[in-house]
Amino acid sequence: MAEDWSKIDRDWAKLEMKLKVYGLAQAKKLFAIVTARDKLLDQHEKAFRAAIQGAIKAGVKGDTLKELSVHKPVVAAQSDLDADCREITTEVKTLSTFCKECEVLGDTVEKLSDAVAKLLKSSGGKAPAPKAKMVDKIEATRKELHEAATFRFKVDKFLVAFPKQYPAWLKHVVEKELEKGSGEAEKQREKEADKEGFSAEAFEDRAAELEALRKKVAKALAGAREALKEDLRNAAQLVKEANTDVTRMRKLLAEAKAQRDKFKKEIALLKDAKKILKLVDGLPEIVTEADAELKKVGTELKKAVSAK
């Protein structure tokens, strides 16, 4: 029995030499380094995204990181991410290797613990007084090493795969920011477009006003034609009113065309671009129709006056 305890003593003494650099405290320390790197990566990612947006706002053209890299803040931000990728590779590997070694040592200590359990069973469940502290230490170390080994599983899977996926991830981030930047730019242009008054609603209102004037002119001219038979003064008044409305129609049409030509690029970026351009293209017909009818009735009025 004494020889058995002596063997436990020797085996434990060999293990204790190795256990000086292994344990729960070191596992937590290495895990804390990885966790800190994760937070730093998050900060650098945000800075990288902001740099891309800065490049877009600065007017840098391009759909790739290489093209955007003419903007110095993008280069600096990517440099930080490149460094993170290198460090993550090392830090995650260091933690993983350490945890695996803890697991192997833990299994060895567990075998020693099993041997102690057998000795205790054969001795009535009690260790000799000088060995009691050692028994407790072996059991505590077994638990600690197995807990330390689990820290490699606590690392975010994203970080574990990050080094291999880094190029694809970087490309994805750039694409998303370009998409976001384009969307934000479009929203800004739409706001500016609304301020300038060339939204779809503004053109719809103008078209509605022209249509209302067309009907008014048509009614006035129909009345003038009827009045030509008996009341030339009334006919002349109606033609005058129609002429005023047609003049207003010409002005509205000119404004719509000028606005379309001046803000052609901005309008093209609006969601309702096709609708707006279709409305503007249809306006001349309304004015032309009213103008032609006015000239006909005007000519008829002149003939009637001359004949009288």
Side-chain angles (χ1 to χ4, degrees):
M1 181 68 69
E3 178 57 32
D4 290 333
W5 280 110
S6 294
K7 185 176 184 308
I8 296 292
D9 274 334
R10 290 194 300 272
D11 290 343
W12 176 241
K14 291 178 184 178
L15 279 173
E16 276 195 305
M17 292 296 292
K18 294 181 179 180
L19 291 172
K20 287 181 179 179
V21 293
Y22 291 97
L24 191 55
Q26 182 64 10
K28 288 181 178 180
K29 182 179 178 181
L30 293 174
F31 181 72
I33 291 173
V34 174
T35 301
R37 178 64 58 184
D38 192 13
K39 291 180 180 178
L40 191 60
L41 173 62
D42 186 52
Q43 292 173 15
H44 288 160
E45 180 190 344
K46 289 177 181 177
F48 180 64
R49 290 179 182 275
I52 294 174
Q53 290 303 320
I56 294 170
K57 290 178 181 177
V60 177
K61 303 296 181 183
D63 298 322
T64 65
L65 179 56
K66 185 177 180 180
E67 291 170 320
L68 293 171
S69 292
V70 296
H71 192 59
K72 289 184 178 179
V74 172
V75 177
Q78 186 192 345
S79 179
D80 287 336
L81 288 175
D82 291 345
D84 285 335
C85 184
R86 291 192 298 271
E87 295 302 325
I88 283 171
T89 303
T90 300
E91 290 163 0
V92 170
K93 185 177 180 181
T94 298
L95 174 63
S96 180
T97 300
F98 179 81
C99 289
K100 287 177 181 177
E101 289 171 348
C102 283
E103 186 173 26
V104 172
L105 278 172
D107 290 342
T108 302
V109 173
E110 188 159 1
K111 289 178 181 177
L112 190 60
S113 180
D114 290 340
V116 169
K118 288 180 181 179
L119 280 176
L120 290 174
K121 187 176 182 181
S122 63
S123 61
K126 289 185 178 182
K131 310 298 181 184
K133 286 185 178 181
M134 181 184 67
V135 171
D136 291 340
K137 187 75 178 289
I138 290 173
E139 180 58 21
T141 301
R142 180 188 67 79
K143 290 179 179 179
E144 184 177 318
L145 286 171
H146 281 311
E147 185 179 349
T150 65
F151 273 80
R152 73 179 187 274
F153 302 118
K154 295 181 181 182
V155 177
D156 194 304
K157 290 182 180 179
F158 171 76
L159 285 185
V160 175
F162 188 70
K164 290 183 179 179
Q165 296 181 359
Y166 180 57
W169 176 84
L170 205 60
K171 182 182 178 182
H172 174 73
V173 170
V174 171
E175 289 174 350
K176 282 295 179 183
E177 289 307 307
L178 285 171
E179 184 181 321
K180 178 183 175 183
S182 176
E184 289 298 322
E186 184 174 339
K187 286 180 182 178
Q188 185 59 34
R189 282 191 289 265
E190 285 185 5
K191 286 181 182 179
E192 292 173 359
D194 286 338
K195 287 180 183 178
E196 293 289 349
F198 51 75
S199 64
E201 291 76 11
F203 281 104
E204 285 175 348
D205 291 343
R206 189 160 288 152
E209 186 177 355
L210 280 169
E211 178 60 20
L213 286 170
R214 185 193 67 77
K215 290 180 179 179
K216 186 180 177 184
V217 168
K219 185 177 180 180
L221 293 177
R225 266 209 177 92
E226 190 65 31
L228 285 175
K229 301 172 185 177
E230 300 176 355
D231 190 350
L232 290 179
R233 181 176 292 181
N234 185 37
Q237 180 60 35
L238 289 171
V239 169
K240 184 179 179 181
E241 290 175 6
N243 185 62
T244 300
D245 288 335
V246 169
T247 300
R248 170 64 180 160
M249 290 175 75
R250 290 196 195 103
K251 185 180 179 182
L252 287 172
L253 176 60
E255 288 174 356
K257 284 184 175 179
Q259 208 167 45
R260 177 197 60 189
D261 295 340
K262 182 179 179 181
F263 302 111
K264 199 169 185 178
K265 291 181 180 179
E266 287 81 357
I267 291 174
L269 293 169
L270 296 175
K271 293 179 181 178
D272 296 323
K274 290 183 179 179
K275 188 177 182 181
I276 290 174
L277 295 174
K278 187 176 180 181
L279 276 171
V280 178
D281 290 341
L283 297 181
E285 187 178 343
I286 297 175
V287 179
T288 300
E289 182 183 324
D291 196 31
E293 189 64 18
L294 175 63
K295 288 177 180 178
K296 284 182 182 179
V297 177
T299 301
E300 290 175 17
L301 176 63
K302 286 180 181 179
K303 286 180 180 180
V305 171
S306 297
K308 192 174 180 182

